Amino acid sequence: MNKQIFLDEFHIAQKTARIAFLEIEIQKIKSGITKAASQELLNEILLGYEKELEELKLKS
């Protein structure tokens, strides 16, 4: 029982950390801090981050 509670709490903390990471990375891309070889590549990364963030927030 305790192991399951620990795993649940770990999963919640991991998800919260990933949401925070994605929000920061999206902000860095939009502000121009993050650079890439091409704008197209940067846009693909941004779309992927935004999609993942949306999915994580829906599951919260």
Side-chain angles (χ1 to χ4, degrees):
M1 181 75 170
N2 286 337
K3 186 175 182 180
Q4 184 62 42
I5 291 170
F6 172 77
L7 291 175
D8 289 345
E9 289 175 355
F10 177 76
H11 179 71
I12 291 168
Q14 190 176 34
K15 186 174 166 183
T16 302
R18 184 67 181 167
I19 288 172
F21 168 79
L22 290 170
E23 288 174 339
I24 290 168
E25 290 303 308
I26 289 169
Q27 187 177 34
K28 286 168 50 178
I29 291 171
K30 287 183 176 181
S31 68
I33 294 171
T34 300
K35 307 286 185 201
S38 71
Q39 189 62 39
E40 183 178 311
L41 179 60
L42 200 56
N43 288 340
E44 286 181 35
I45 293 169
L46 180 60
L47 288 175
Y49 282 172
E50 288 174 334
K51 182 178 178 182
E52 183 180 352
L53 180 62
E54 183 179 329
E55 290 172 0
L56 286 171
K57 285 186 172 182
L58 286 176
K59 293 179 184 177
S60 293

